[in-house]
Amino acid sequence: EVRLVESGGGAVEAGGSLTLSCAISGTLGNLATMAWFRRTPATGREGVASIRTGRVGYGNTVYVDSVKGRFTISVDADKNTLWLQMNSLKPEDSAMYYCAVSYNYAALSPDAFRFWGQGTQVTVSS
């Protein structure tokens, strides 16, 4: 069983920054991909960023176009903490943010991710 706990959300003004973290614990095995998703009532669930943590393409990242150049995903060497650095935040970035992990190599398809956290809320005011 893999457990994920997000933290770091909050309320900021447009242009501000937040850093989300995801503590990963349990029987991890060989996790291949870790990712951040977000959900709003209006847009539903959206993949934000993913990073490969398996041997194939280790460190390769994928970002949704709307966050490229503003968000950075990273993972600690021990793969126990996943990060999302969010800069130049916009009101449209407001959402519940979730971390997720997969034993498969995946990009931003939610169906590929088996384990999910409970989410942390990010609110960006204009």
Side-chain angles (χ1 to χ4, degrees), residues 46-116:
E46 176 186 44
V48 176
S50 69
I51 185 168
R52 285 201 172 186
T53 54
R55 287 183 292 178
V56 178
Y58 179 85
N60 287 352
T61 56
V62 176
Y63 295 92
V64 68
D65 285 347
S66 60
V67 308
K68 286 180 180 178
R70 300 189 298 121
F71 290 13
T72 303
I73 187 172
S74 62
V75 61
D76 283 0
D78 60 8
K79 302 180 187 179
N80 286 339
T81 306
L82 180 69
W83 304 90
L84 185 68
Q85 175 67 45
M86 304 187 295
N87 298 326
S88 302
L89 282 162
K90 304 175 181 180
E92 52 263 43
D93 294 319
S94 297
M96 184 71 79
Y97 283 73
Y98 302 87
C99 60
V101 299
S102 173
Y103 291 111
N104 300 313
Y105 291 106
L108 294 175
S109 174
D111 293 342
F113 291 83
R114 177 178 178 185
F115 299 103
W116 294 77

Side-chain angles (χ1 to χ4, degrees), residues 1-71:
E1 186 71 19
V2 177
R3 292 178 293 276
L4 308 174
V5 179
E6 303 94 337
S7 61
V12 296
E13 293 184 351
S17 298
L18 282 173
T19 301
L20 305 184
S21 63
C22 174
I24 305 166
S25 62
T27 306
L28 302 183
N30 296 317
L31 294 170
T33 312
M34 299 182 180
W36 288 95
F37 293 81
R38 62 189 180 187
R39 180 193 293 271
T40 70
T43 62
R45 186 168 53 183
E46 176 186 44
V48 176
S50 69
I51 185 168
R52 285 201 172 186
T53 54
R55 287 183 292 178
V56 178
Y58 179 85
N60 287 352
T61 56
V62 176
Y63 295 92
V64 68
D65 285 347
S66 60
V67 308
K68 286 180 180 178
R70 300 189 298 121
F71 290 13

